[in-house]
Protein backbone atom coordinates (compact mmCIF):
# COMPACT_ATOMS: atom_id res chain seq x y z
CA UNK A 1 0.00 0.00 0.00
CA UNK A 2 1.21 3.46 -0.77
CA UNK A 3 -0.05 5.12 2.39
CA UNK A 4 -1.51 4.42 5.83
CA UNK A 5 -5.29 4.57 6.31
CA UNK A 6 -5.59 4.36 10.13
CA UNK A 7 -3.38 4.80 13.15
CA UNK A 8 -2.54 2.89 16.33
CA UNK A 9 -1.58 5.01 19.33
CA UNK A 10 1.36 4.10 21.59
CA UNK A 11 -0.81 3.27 24.61
CA UNK A 12 -3.15 1.14 22.50
CA UNK A 13 -0.30 -0.77 20.90
CA UNK A 14 1.32 -1.31 24.29
CA UNK A 15 -1.94 -2.78 25.63
CA UNK A 16 -2.23 -5.11 22.65
CA UNK A 17 1.36 -6.27 23.03
CA UNK A 18 0.96 -6.82 26.76
CA UNK A 19 -2.16 -8.90 26.15
CA UNK A 20 -0.12 -11.50 24.30
CA UNK A 21 0.72 -14.47 26.46
CA UNK A 22 4.25 -15.74 26.20
CA UNK A 23 4.47 -19.44 25.56
CA UNK A 24 6.71 -21.22 28.07
CA UNK A 25 10.15 -21.88 26.69
CA UNK A 26 11.30 -25.46 26.54
CA UNK A 27 14.40 -26.75 28.35
CA UNK A 28 17.53 -25.13 27.07
CA UNK A 29 15.61 -22.62 24.96
CA UNK A 30 17.06 -19.12 24.94
CA UNK A 31 14.70 -16.16 25.03
CA UNK A 32 15.00 -13.92 21.94
CA UNK A 33 16.51 -10.43 22.20
CA UNK A 34 14.08 -7.70 23.26
CA UNK A 35 13.90 -6.16 19.78
CA UNK A 36 13.14 -9.58 18.27
CA UNK A 37 10.38 -10.25 20.80
CA UNK A 38 8.87 -6.82 20.05
CA UNK A 39 9.03 -7.38 16.28
CA UNK A 40 7.45 -10.81 16.64
CA UNK A 41 4.70 -9.38 18.82
CA UNK A 42 3.79 -6.69 16.28
CA UNK A 43 3.97 -9.19 13.41
CA UNK A 44 1.58 -11.53 15.27
CA UNK A 45 -0.86 -8.68 15.91
CA UNK A 46 -0.90 -7.91 12.19
CA UNK A 47 -1.33 -11.55 11.13
CA UNK A 48 -4.16 -11.98 13.64
CA UNK A 49 -5.82 -8.79 12.45
CA UNK A 50 -5.72 -7.10 15.86
CA UNK A 51 -3.65 -4.36 14.27
CA UNK A 52 -4.95 -3.67 10.75
CA UNK A 53 -2.79 -3.68 7.68
CA UNK A 54 -1.93 -0.11 6.61
CA UNK A 55 -2.16 1.16 10.19
CA UNK A 56 0.33 3.88 11.13
CA UNK A 57 2.50 2.79 14.07
CA UNK A 58 3.69 5.17 16.80
CA UNK A 59 6.97 6.97 16.43
CA UNK A 60 9.93 5.11 17.91
CA UNK A 61 10.31 7.46 20.88
CA UNK A 62 6.56 7.33 21.71
CA UNK A 63 6.39 3.53 21.68
CA UNK A 64 9.61 3.24 23.69
CA UNK A 65 8.07 5.39 26.43
CA UNK A 66 4.81 3.41 26.39
CA UNK A 67 6.67 0.08 26.68
CA UNK A 68 9.40 1.30 29.04
CA UNK A 69 12.14 0.08 26.71
CA UNK A 70 14.95 1.88 24.94
CA UNK A 71 14.40 3.69 21.68
CA UNK A 72 17.16 1.53 20.23
CA UNK A 73 15.04 -1.57 20.92
CA UNK A 74 12.05 -0.10 19.07
CA UNK A 75 14.22 1.10 16.18
CA UNK A 76 15.74 -2.36 15.80
CA UNK A 77 12.29 -4.00 15.93
CA UNK A 78 10.96 -1.64 13.25
CA UNK A 79 14.00 -2.32 11.09
CA UNK A 80 13.45 -6.09 11.42
CA UNK A 81 9.79 -5.69 10.45
CA UNK A 82 10.76 -3.60 7.42
CA UNK A 83 13.25 -6.25 6.34
CA UNK A 84 10.55 -8.93 6.63
CA UNK A 85 7.95 -6.90 4.71
CA UNK A 86 5.65 -6.25 7.67
CA UNK A 87 6.41 -2.53 7.84
CA UNK A 88 6.72 0.21 5.27
CA UNK A 89 8.07 3.69 5.91
CA UNK A 90 8.33 6.98 4.15
CA UNK A 91 10.17 10.08 5.31
CA UNK A 92 7.65 12.55 6.67
CA UNK A 93 4.79 10.02 6.65
CA UNK A 94 5.97 7.62 9.35
CA UNK A 95 5.74 3.82 9.33
CA UNK A 96 2.71 1.64 8.74
CA UNK A 97 1.96 -2.07 8.86
CA UNK A 98 2.02 -4.28 5.77
CA UNK A 99 2.03 -7.93 4.74
CA UNK A 100 4.95 -9.10 2.61
CA UNK A 101 4.52 -10.22 -0.96
CA UNK A 102 4.49 -13.99 -1.12
CA UNK A 103 2.97 -14.42 2.33
CA UNK A 104 0.92 -17.65 2.32
CA UNK A 105 -2.53 -17.05 0.89
CA UNK A 106 -5.64 -19.16 1.47
CA UNK A 107 -6.07 -22.42 -0.36
CA UNK A 108 -7.91 -22.33 -3.66
CA UNK A 109 -11.14 -24.02 -4.63
CA UNK A 110 -13.67 -23.04 -1.97
CA UNK A 111 -16.48 -22.53 -4.44
CA UNK A 112 -19.54 -24.68 -3.62
CA UNK A 113 -18.79 -28.32 -4.24
CA UNK A 114 -20.58 -30.05 -7.11
CA UNK A 115 -23.16 -32.56 -5.85
CA UNK A 116 -21.11 -35.55 -7.01
CA UNK A 117 -18.22 -34.52 -4.73
CA UNK A 118 -20.26 -34.23 -1.54
CA UNK A 119 -19.87 -37.91 -0.73
CA UNK A 120 -16.08 -37.77 -0.50
CA UNK A 121 -15.36 -34.21 0.69
CA UNK A 122 -16.89 -32.45 3.69
CA UNK A 123 -17.57 -28.86 2.67
CA UNK A 124 -17.03 -26.32 5.46
CA UNK A 125 -16.51 -23.49 2.99
CA UNK A 126 -20.10 -22.30 2.66
CA UNK A 127 -22.04 -21.13 5.71
CA UNK A 128 -25.36 -22.27 4.28
CA UNK A 129 -27.80 -25.02 5.23
CA UNK A 130 -30.11 -27.10 3.02
CA UNK A 131 -33.59 -25.71 2.36
CA UNK A 132 -36.03 -25.97 5.29
CA UNK A 133 -38.60 -28.25 3.75
CA UNK A 134 -41.54 -28.45 3.31
CA UNK A 135 -41.51 -24.64 3.34
CA UNK A 136 -39.51 -24.17 0.15
CA UNK A 137 -41.87 -26.37 -1.83
CA UNK A 138 -44.95 -24.74 -0.33
CA UNK A 139 -43.59 -21.26 -1.04
CA UNK A 140 -42.92 -22.08 -4.69
CA UNK A 141 -46.37 -23.64 -5.06
CA UNK A 142 -47.93 -20.54 -3.51
CA UNK A 143 -45.90 -18.32 -5.83
CA UNK A 144 -47.10 -20.24 -8.89
CA UNK A 145 -50.70 -19.64 -7.85
CA UNK A 146 -50.02 -15.88 -7.65
CA UNK A 147 -48.00 -15.71 -10.88
CA UNK A 148 -50.66 -15.44 -13.66
CA UNK A 149 -51.42 -11.69 -13.28
CA UNK A 150 -47.70 -10.88 -13.42
CA UNK A 151 -47.22 -13.06 -16.51
CA UNK A 152 -49.33 -10.56 -18.47
CA UNK A 153 -46.80 -7.77 -17.74
CA UNK A 154 -43.26 -7.17 -19.03
CA UNK A 155 -41.93 -8.69 -15.79
CA UNK A 156 -39.33 -5.98 -15.06
CA UNK A 157 -39.74 -4.40 -11.62
CA UNK A 158 -36.49 -2.49 -10.89
CA UNK A 159 -37.60 -1.59 -7.37
CA UNK A 160 -39.19 -4.97 -6.71
CA UNK A 161 -42.78 -6.20 -6.73
CA UNK A 162 -45.00 -3.63 -4.98
CA UNK A 163 -46.61 -6.36 -2.88
CA UNK A 164 -43.22 -7.54 -1.54
CA UNK A 165 -41.95 -4.00 -0.96
CA UNK A 166 -45.06 -3.32 1.12
CA UNK A 167 -44.63 -6.56 3.06
CA UNK A 168 -40.98 -5.84 3.88
CA UNK A 169 -41.90 -2.30 4.97
CA UNK A 170 -44.61 -3.71 7.26
CA UNK A 171 -42.09 -6.08 8.84
CA UNK A 172 -39.77 -3.19 9.69
CA UNK A 173 -42.70 -1.21 11.09
CA UNK A 174 -43.63 -4.19 13.27
CA UNK A 175 -40.07 -4.11 14.67
CA UNK A 176 -40.61 -0.52 15.77
CA UNK A 177 -39.00 1.10 12.71
CA UNK A 178 -41.75 2.96 10.76
CA UNK A 179 -41.10 2.26 7.10
CA UNK A 180 -42.87 3.08 3.83
CA UNK A 181 -42.72 0.90 0.70
CA UNK A 182 -40.87 3.79 -0.98
CA UNK A 183 -37.97 3.05 1.38
CA UNK A 184 -37.54 -0.51 0.09
CA UNK A 185 -35.80 -1.90 -3.00
CA UNK A 186 -35.79 -5.65 -3.64
CA UNK A 187 -32.48 -6.99 -4.93
CA UNK A 188 -30.91 -10.22 -6.12
CA UNK A 189 -29.58 -11.28 -2.76
CA UNK A 190 -27.65 -9.21 -0.22
CA UNK A 191 -24.63 -9.23 -2.55
CA UNK A 192 -26.70 -7.49 -5.22
CA UNK A 193 -27.82 -4.93 -2.66
CA UNK A 194 -24.32 -4.09 -1.46
CA UNK A 195 -22.95 -4.04 -5.00
CA UNK A 196 -25.56 -1.42 -5.92
CA UNK A 197 -24.77 0.64 -2.80
CA UNK A 198 -21.02 0.52 -3.45
CA UNK A 199 -21.44 1.70 -7.03
CA UNK A 200 -23.72 4.54 -5.95
CA UNK A 201 -21.66 5.81 -3.00
CA UNK A 202 -18.24 4.22 -3.30
CA UNK A 203 -16.72 4.92 -6.68
CA UNK A 204 -13.28 3.76 -7.69
CA UNK A 205 -10.69 4.95 -5.21
CA UNK A 206 -13.21 5.76 -2.46
CA UNK A 207 -12.42 4.57 1.05
CA UNK A 208 -14.73 2.02 2.68
CA UNK A 209 -14.31 1.18 6.35
CA UNK A 210 -14.83 -2.50 7.14
CA UNK A 211 -14.65 -4.65 10.23
CA UNK A 212 -11.49 -6.69 10.53
CA UNK A 213 -12.26 -9.55 10.09
CA UNK A 214 -15.30 -9.21 7.83
CA UNK A 215 -17.39 -11.19 5.34
CA UNK A 216 -15.03 -12.50 2.67
CA UNK A 217 -17.28 -12.14 -0.38
CA UNK A 218 -18.19 -8.55 0.43
CA UNK A 219 -14.52 -7.65 0.84
CA UNK A 220 -13.78 -9.10 -2.59
CA UNK A 221 -16.78 -7.34 -4.12
CA UNK A 222 -15.49 -4.01 -2.79
CA UNK A 223 -11.97 -4.68 -4.03
CA UNK A 224 -13.24 -5.40 -7.51
CA UNK A 225 -15.27 -2.18 -7.41
CA UNK A 226 -11.96 -0.36 -6.93
CA UNK A 227 -12.53 0.66 -3.29
CA UNK A 228 -9.74 1.33 -0.82
CA UNK A 229 -10.58 -0.81 2.20
CA UNK A 230 -9.89 0.66 5.63
CA UNK A 231 -9.90 -2.18 8.20
CA UNK A 232 -11.11 -1.51 11.75
CA UNK A 233 -10.01 -4.24 14.13
CA UNK A 234 -12.67 -6.06 16.11
CA UNK A 235 -12.20 -6.52 19.85
CA UNK A 236 -11.16 -9.91 21.19
CA UNK A 237 -13.65 -12.78 21.33
CA UNK A 238 -17.31 -11.86 21.16
CA UNK A 239 -16.87 -8.32 22.53
CA UNK A 240 -17.17 -7.10 18.97
CA UNK A 241 -16.87 -3.44 18.19
CA UNK A 242 -14.25 -1.09 19.65
CA UNK A 243 -16.16 2.19 19.30
CA UNK A 244 -13.24 4.43 20.21
CA UNK A 245 -11.29 2.84 17.38
CA UNK A 246 -14.25 3.21 15.00
CA UNK A 247 -14.64 6.89 15.86
CA UNK A 248 -10.95 7.50 15.28
CA UNK A 249 -10.90 5.72 11.91
CA UNK A 250 -14.06 7.44 10.68
CA UNK A 251 -12.65 10.81 11.70
CA UNK A 252 -9.12 10.32 10.37
CA UNK A 253 -9.74 8.28 7.20
CA UNK A 254 -13.09 9.94 6.29
CA UNK A 255 -14.43 6.87 4.43
CA UNK A 256 -17.45 7.39 2.17
CA UNK A 257 -19.01 4.12 3.35
CA UNK A 258 -18.68 1.90 6.42
CA UNK A 259 -19.88 -1.71 6.23
CA UNK A 260 -20.82 -3.61 9.40
CA UNK A 261 -22.53 -6.90 10.33
CA UNK A 262 -23.94 -6.02 13.76
CA UNK A 263 -26.15 -9.14 14.06
CA UNK A 264 -24.11 -12.30 14.67
CA UNK A 265 -21.15 -10.99 12.78
CA UNK A 266 -19.67 -13.12 10.00
CA UNK A 267 -17.20 -14.64 10.82
CA UNK A 268 -16.87 -14.05 14.60
CA UNK A 269 -20.54 -14.42 15.64
CA UNK A 270 -20.43 -11.26 17.80
CA UNK A 271 -23.68 -9.38 18.48
CA UNK A 272 -23.53 -5.58 18.89
CA UNK A 273 -25.57 -4.27 21.81
CA UNK A 274 -27.78 -1.17 21.76
CA UNK A 275 -25.05 1.13 23.07
CA UNK A 276 -22.54 -0.03 20.46
CA UNK A 277 -25.09 0.51 17.70
CA UNK A 278 -26.03 3.97 18.94
CA UNK A 279 -22.40 5.07 19.21
CA UNK A 280 -21.53 3.62 15.80
CA UNK A 281 -24.38 5.51 14.13
CA UNK A 282 -23.39 8.71 15.96
CA UNK A 283 -19.77 8.32 14.83
CA UNK A 284 -20.79 7.73 11.22
CA UNK A 285 -23.14 10.73 11.25
CA UNK A 286 -20.41 12.97 12.68
CA UNK A 287 -17.95 11.84 10.02
CA UNK A 288 -20.43 12.14 7.14
CA UNK A 289 -20.06 8.42 6.43
CA UNK A 290 -22.85 6.24 5.03
CA UNK A 291 -23.23 3.27 7.39
CA UNK A 292 -24.30 0.07 5.63
CA UNK A 293 -25.78 -2.40 8.17
CA UNK A 294 -25.96 -6.00 6.97
CA UNK A 295 -28.86 -7.77 8.73
CA UNK A 296 -28.69 -11.11 6.92
CA UNK A 297 -28.04 -13.00 10.19
CA UNK A 298 -30.46 -11.01 12.37
CA UNK A 299 -33.05 -13.78 12.77
CA UNK A 300 -30.58 -16.55 13.53
CA UNK A 301 -30.35 -16.33 17.31
CA UNK A 302 -29.76 -19.82 18.67
CA UNK A 303 -29.92 -19.43 22.46
CA UNK A 304 -33.15 -18.83 24.35
CA UNK A 305 -31.64 -16.08 26.53
CA UNK A 306 -30.74 -13.82 23.58
CA UNK A 307 -32.43 -10.43 23.65
CA UNK A 308 -32.07 -8.91 20.22
CA UNK A 309 -31.12 -5.19 20.17
CA UNK A 310 -32.93 -2.63 18.07
CA UNK A 311 -31.98 -2.61 14.39
CA UNK A 312 -29.09 -0.31 13.59
CA UNK A 313 -31.42 1.90 11.56
CA UNK A 314 -33.51 2.39 14.72
CA UNK A 315 -30.78 4.75 15.96
CA UNK A 316 -31.03 6.86 12.80
CA UNK A 317 -34.59 8.28 12.95
CA UNK A 318 -33.87 10.87 10.27
CA UNK A 319 -32.75 8.11 7.89
CA UNK A 320 -29.79 10.15 6.66
CA UNK A 321 -26.93 7.88 7.82
CA UNK A 322 -27.91 4.20 7.82
CA UNK A 323 -28.69 1.96 4.86
CA UNK A 324 -29.93 -1.50 5.87
CA UNK A 325 -29.47 -4.67 3.85
CA UNK A 326 -31.48 -7.85 4.44
CA UNK A 327 -31.77 -11.21 2.74
CA UNK A 328 -33.60 -14.52 2.65
CA UNK A 329 -30.40 -16.41 1.86
CA UNK A 330 -29.06 -17.12 5.36
CA UNK A 331 -32.25 -17.32 7.41
CA UNK A 332 -34.13 -19.37 4.80
CA UNK A 333 -32.06 -20.81 1.92
CA UNK A 334 -29.06 -19.66 -0.10
CA UNK A 335 -30.83 -20.68 -3.29
CA UNK A 336 -33.54 -18.11 -2.61
CA UNK A 337 -31.65 -15.14 -4.05
CA UNK A 338 -33.87 -12.40 -2.63
CA UNK A 339 -32.42 -9.44 -0.77
CA UNK A 340 -33.55 -5.92 -0.01
CA UNK A 341 -32.37 -2.45 0.86
CA UNK A 342 -34.05 -0.13 3.37
CA UNK A 343 -33.01 3.51 3.02
CA UNK A 344 -34.34 7.04 2.62
CA UNK A 345 -36.70 7.36 -0.38
CA UNK A 346 -34.25 9.54 -2.33
CA UNK A 347 -31.52 6.91 -1.89
CA UNK A 348 -33.88 4.18 -3.09
CA UNK A 349 -34.77 6.25 -6.17
CA UNK A 350 -31.09 6.68 -6.98
CA UNK A 351 -30.41 2.96 -6.53
CA UNK A 352 -33.35 2.04 -8.74
CA UNK A 353 -32.26 4.48 -11.46
CA UNK A 354 -28.72 3.10 -11.43
CA UNK A 355 -30.02 -0.46 -11.58
CA UNK A 356 -31.32 0.03 -15.11
CA UNK A 357 -27.73 -0.45 -16.30
CA UNK A 358 -27.21 -3.65 -14.28
CA UNK A 359 -29.86 -6.36 -13.92
CA UNK A 360 -33.19 -4.49 -14.43
CA UNK A 361 -34.85 -6.40 -11.61
CA UNK A 362 -35.12 -9.49 -9.42
CA UNK A 363 -36.88 -12.68 -10.64
CA UNK A 364 -40.64 -12.40 -10.09
CA UNK A 365 -41.29 -16.00 -9.06
CA UNK A 366 -38.76 -15.89 -6.20
CA UNK A 367 -40.19 -12.58 -4.99
CA UNK A 368 -43.66 -14.10 -4.91
CA UNK A 369 -42.32 -17.10 -2.98
CA UNK A 370 -40.78 -14.88 -0.29
CA UNK A 371 -43.95 -12.81 -0.12
CA UNK A 372 -45.96 -16.02 0.37
CA UNK A 373 -43.68 -17.00 3.27
CA UNK A 374 -44.02 -13.57 4.90
CA UNK A 375 -47.78 -13.34 4.48
CA UNK A 376 -48.76 -16.86 5.57
CA UNK A 377 -46.56 -17.35 8.63
CA UNK A 378 -44.46 -19.86 6.73
CA UNK A 379 -41.35 -17.69 7.17
CA UNK A 380 -41.51 -17.81 10.98
CA UNK A 381 -41.96 -21.59 10.99
CA UNK A 382 -39.17 -22.11 8.46
CA UNK A 383 -36.78 -19.91 10.45
CA UNK A 384 -37.67 -21.78 13.65
CA UNK A 385 -36.66 -24.99 11.87
CA UNK A 386 -33.48 -23.34 10.65
CA UNK A 387 -32.58 -22.35 14.23
CA UNK A 388 -33.07 -25.92 15.45
CA UNK A 389 -30.81 -27.24 12.68
CA UNK A 390 -28.10 -24.65 13.31
CA UNK A 391 -28.23 -25.11 17.10
CA UNK A 392 -27.84 -28.89 16.84
CA UNK A 393 -25.01 -28.54 14.33
CA UNK A 394 -23.28 -25.95 16.51
CA UNK A 395 -23.28 -28.25 19.52
CA UNK A 396 -22.04 -31.21 17.50
CA UNK A 397 -19.25 -29.23 15.85
CA UNK A 398 -18.08 -27.55 19.06
CA UNK A 399 -17.97 -30.89 20.88
CA UNK A 400 -16.08 -32.59 18.06
CA UNK A 401 -13.49 -29.82 17.62
CA UNK A 402 -12.84 -29.57 21.34
CA UNK A 403 -12.28 -33.33 21.47
CA UNK A 404 -10.05 -33.65 18.39
CA UNK A 405 -8.26 -30.28 18.53
CA UNK A 406 -8.16 -29.18 22.18
CA UNK A 407 -5.46 -26.59 21.50
CA UNK A 408 -7.70 -24.64 19.10
CA UNK A 409 -9.31 -21.59 20.72
CA UNK A 410 -12.75 -20.06 20.15
CA UNK A 411 -15.79 -18.62 21.87
CA UNK A 412 -19.19 -20.07 21.09
CA UNK A 413 -21.52 -17.39 19.66
CA UNK A 414 -25.19 -17.18 20.66
CA UNK A 415 -26.33 -17.04 17.05
CA UNK A 416 -25.35 -16.92 13.42
CA UNK A 417 -23.78 -19.72 11.43
CA UNK A 418 -20.02 -19.47 12.05
CA UNK A 419 -17.29 -20.25 14.54
CA UNK A 420 -14.12 -18.14 14.36
CA UNK A 421 -11.21 -20.34 15.48
CA UNK A 422 -7.61 -19.58 16.40
CA UNK A 423 -5.84 -22.66 15.06
CA UNK A 424 -3.30 -23.35 17.78
CA UNK A 425 -0.48 -21.38 16.18
CA UNK A 426 -0.84 -23.09 12.79
CA UNK A 427 -1.17 -21.33 9.45
CA UNK A 428 -4.80 -21.17 8.37
CA UNK A 429 -3.75 -21.10 4.73
CA UNK A 430 -1.72 -24.26 5.11
CA UNK A 431 -4.56 -25.91 7.02
CA UNK A 432 -6.92 -25.10 4.17
CA UNK A 433 -4.58 -26.66 1.64
CA UNK A 434 -3.91 -29.73 3.77
CA UNK A 435 -7.64 -30.07 4.44
CA UNK A 436 -8.33 -30.51 0.75
CA UNK A 437 -5.85 -33.38 0.71
CA UNK A 438 -7.65 -35.21 3.53
CA UNK A 439 -11.20 -34.50 2.36
CA UNK A 440 -12.39 -31.40 4.21
CA UNK A 441 -12.70 -27.88 2.82
CA UNK A 442 -12.27 -25.02 5.23
CA UNK A 443 -11.71 -21.29 4.58
CA UNK A 444 -8.61 -19.80 6.13
CA UNK A 445 -8.52 -16.59 8.13
CA UNK A 446 -6.92 -14.31 5.52
CA UNK A 447 -10.04 -14.65 3.39
CA UNK A 448 -11.79 -12.49 6.00
CA UNK A 449 -9.10 -9.86 6.44
CA UNK A 450 -7.43 -7.17 4.40
CA UNK A 451 -4.10 -7.97 2.75
CA UNK A 452 -3.32 -11.24 4.47
CA UNK A 453 -4.30 -10.64 8.09
CA UNK A 454 -5.66 -13.49 10.30
CA UNK A 455 -3.21 -16.10 9.09
CA UNK A 456 -3.64 -18.01 12.35
CA UNK A 457 -7.42 -18.50 11.99
CA UNK A 458 -10.00 -20.63 10.20
CA UNK A 459 -13.77 -20.24 9.99
CA UNK A 460 -15.99 -23.24 10.75
CA UNK A 461 -19.69 -23.03 9.82
CA UNK A 462 -22.60 -24.77 11.54
CA UNK A 463 -23.54 -26.68 8.40
CA UNK A 464 -22.82 -30.26 9.45
CA UNK A 465 -23.90 -32.22 12.49
CA UNK A 466 -23.88 -35.68 14.04
CA UNK A 467 -21.42 -38.17 12.61
CA UNK A 468 -20.46 -35.77 9.81
CA UNK A 469 -19.33 -33.16 12.36
CA UNK A 470 -17.26 -35.84 14.11
CA UNK A 471 -15.65 -36.86 10.82
CA UNK A 472 -15.02 -33.22 9.87
CA UNK A 473 -13.14 -32.64 13.13
CA UNK A 474 -11.17 -35.86 12.62
CA UNK A 475 -10.12 -34.72 9.15
CA UNK A 476 -9.23 -31.25 10.42
CA UNK A 477 -7.01 -32.90 13.04
CA UNK A 478 -5.36 -34.91 10.27
CA UNK A 479 -4.79 -31.70 8.30
CA UNK A 480 -3.26 -30.09 11.39
CA UNK A 481 -0.84 -32.99 11.76
CA UNK A 482 0.21 -32.58 8.13
CA UNK A 483 0.90 -28.90 8.68
CA UNK A 484 2.82 -29.57 11.89
CA UNK A 485 4.91 -32.15 10.06
CA UNK A 486 5.69 -29.65 7.31
CA UNK A 487 4.00 -31.80 4.68
CA UNK A 488 1.76 -28.99 3.42
CA UNK A 489 3.03 -26.09 1.34
CA UNK A 490 1.57 -22.60 1.15
CA UNK A 491 -0.70 -22.71 -1.85
CA UNK A 492 -2.43 -19.89 -3.61
CA UNK A 493 -6.03 -19.35 -4.59
CA UNK A 494 -8.06 -17.55 -7.16
CA UNK A 495 -9.37 -14.26 -5.79
CA UNK A 496 -12.79 -15.21 -7.12
CA UNK A 497 -13.15 -18.42 -5.11
CA UNK A 498 -16.36 -18.48 -3.11
CA UNK A 499 -17.02 -18.42 0.64
CA UNK A 500 -20.68 -17.99 1.60
Amino acid sequence: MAQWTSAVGPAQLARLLNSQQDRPAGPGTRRPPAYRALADGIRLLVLEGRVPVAARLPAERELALALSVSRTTVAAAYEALRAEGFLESRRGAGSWTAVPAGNPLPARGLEPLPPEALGSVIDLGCAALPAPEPWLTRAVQGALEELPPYAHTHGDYPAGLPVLRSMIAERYTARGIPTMPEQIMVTTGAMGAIDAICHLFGGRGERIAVESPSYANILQLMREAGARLVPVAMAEGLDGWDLDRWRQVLRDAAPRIAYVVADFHNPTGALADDDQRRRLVDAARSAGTVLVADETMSELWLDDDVEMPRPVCGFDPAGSTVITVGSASKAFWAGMRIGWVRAAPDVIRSLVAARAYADLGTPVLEQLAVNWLFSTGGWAQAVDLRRVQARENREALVTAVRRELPEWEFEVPKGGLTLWVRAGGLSGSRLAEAGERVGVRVPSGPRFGVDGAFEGYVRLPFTVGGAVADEAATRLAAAARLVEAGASGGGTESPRSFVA
Side-chain angles (χ1 to χ4, degrees):
M1 284 193 181
Q3 189 60 277
W4 57 273
T5 57
S6 62
V8 180
Q12 178 187 3
L13 183 55
R15 286 195 301 270
L16 290 171
L17 289 166
N18 290 332
S19 72
Q20 296 174 335
Q21 296 182 353
D22 292 332
R23 295 186 177 182
T29 302
R30 297 177 61 184
R31 297 184 67 86
Y35 85 89
R36 184 69 261 172
L38 176 56
D40 289 345
I42 294 174
R43 177 176 54 82
L44 181 60
L45 289 173
V46 173
L47 290 175
E48 290 184 341
R50 297 173 67 191
V51 169
V53 175
R56 187 179 187 274
L57 294 186
E60 295 171 2
R61 187 184 303 277
E62 294 174 342
L63 186 57
L65 289 172
L67 294 173
S68 298
V69 300
S70 71
R71 183 178 176 181
T72 301
T73 296
V74 177
Y78 279 13
E79 182 58 35
L81 289 169
R82 275 190 289 269
E84 296 163 5
F86 285 94
L87 198 69
E88 296 181 12
S89 303
R90 179 179 299 163
R91 185 178 297 276
S95 300
W96 57 92
T97 56
V99 171
N103 200 61
L105 294 174
R108 61 187 176 275
L110 287 174
E111 67 278 357
L113 285 172
E116 61 271 17
L118 292 176
S120 59
V121 178
I122 299 175
D123 186 8
L124 298 181
C126 295
L129 290 163
E133 288 288 26
W135 299 108
L136 174 62
T137 298
R138 291 181 183 177
V140 173
Q141 290 171 342
L144 286 172
E145 293 176 1
E146 300 293 331
L147 182 61
Y150 296 94
H152 295 292
T153 73
H154 50 64
D156 289 334
Y157 295 87
L161 295 182
V163 65
L164 182 55
R165 297 176 72 194
S166 295
M167 181 60 68
I168 294 171
E170 289 176 13
R171 287 171 57 83
Y172 276 106
T173 300
R175 295 168 67 188
I177 313 297
T179 303
M180 303 178 296
E182 293 79 9
Q183 292 178 261
I184 302 296
M185 180 177 83
V186 181
T187 62
T188 307
M191 292 287 290
I194 294 170
D195 182 59
I197 293 167
C198 288
H199 280 90
L200 181 62
F201 290 98
R204 184 164 296 276
E206 290 280 3
R207 288 182 173 135
I208 300 180
V210 295
E211 297 145 328
S212 183
S214 187
Y215 179 30
N217 286 342
I218 295 298
L219 295 180
Q220 188 59 31
L221 182 156
M222 292 173 176
R223 291 187 188 102
E224 294 189 359
R228 297 175 59 191
L229 300 184
V230 182
V232 186
M234 299 282 284
E236 280 291 283
L238 297 178
D239 291 337
W241 294 260
D242 183 332
L243 272 304
D244 291 336
R245 189 174 298 174
W246 266 100
R247 187 175 293 277
Q248 178 187 3
V249 169
L250 294 180
R251 182 186 63 240
D252 294 349
R256 186 69 182 93
I257 301 174
Y259 169 77
V260 297
V261 185
D263 300 290
F264 306 118
H265 174 259
N266 186 352
T268 68
L271 175 65
D273 60 28
D274 282 331
D275 183 62
Q276 288 174 319
R277 294 168 190 239
R278 179 184 298 106
R279 293 175 61 194
L280 186 58
V281 173
D282 289 345
R285 184 184 298 115
S286 297
T289 297
V290 175
L291 181 62
V292 179
D294 186 334
E295 286 191 335
T296 54
M297 296 282 190
S298 63
E299 296 190 63
L300 289 176
W301 64 86
L302 304 183
D303 293 345
D304 294 335
D305 61 347
V306 175
E307 293 187 13
M308 289 301 295
R310 284 171 59 80
V312 175
C313 59
F315 299 96
D316 181 36
S320 59
T321 299
V322 177
I323 297 178
T324 303
V325 171
S327 172
S329 297
K330 295 298 186 184
F332 186 75
W333 184 47
M336 188 69 77
R337 304 304 303 165
I338 299 296
W340 53 86
V341 177
R342 181 198 181 275
D346 62 316
V347 173
I348 294 297
R349 287 192 294 270
S350 297
L351 289 170
V352 171
R355 189 178 193 178
Y357 304 100
D359 63 356
L360 292 179
T362 302
V364 170
L365 188 63
E366 283 86 340
Q367 292 187 70
L368 290 173
V370 171
N371 188 67
W372 184 92
L373 289 165
F374 286 157
S375 61
T376 62
W379 177 269
Q381 295 182 67
V383 173
D384 282 343
L385 177 59
R386 172 67 77 236
R387 293 191 193 106
V388 171
Q389 294 172 323
R391 185 184 304 117
E392 292 175 350
N393 288 353
R394 180 189 63 177
E395 300 311 313
L397 185 66
V398 166
T399 299
V401 172
R402 283 177 172 166
R403 180 183 64 247
E404 299 293 336
L405 294 151
E407 68 278 11
W408 286 20
E409 303 172 41
F410 54 86
E411 292 188 39
V412 181
K414 292 180 175 294
L417 291 172
T418 57
L419 198 66
W420 186 236
V421 181
R422 193 196 304 258
L426 301 179
S427 161
S429 298
R430 295 179 186 275
L431 279 168
E433 186 181 36
E436 293 195 18
R437 297 174 58 191
V438 299
V440 59
R441 282 187 169 182
V442 57
S444 62
R447 297 297 309 278
F448 306 91
V450 175
D451 293 334
F454 304 107
E455 182 55 56
Y457 289 79
V458 293
R459 190 196 72 173
L460 305 180
F462 310 143
T463 53
V464 296
V468 180
D470 290 337
E471 180 62 22
T474 299
R475 296 185 187 186
L476 285 172
R481 289 192 293 271
L482 284 176
V483 174
E484 289 172 340
S488 174
T492 60
E493 70 171 324
S494 164
R496 292 182 178 270
S497 61
F498 184 94
V499 177

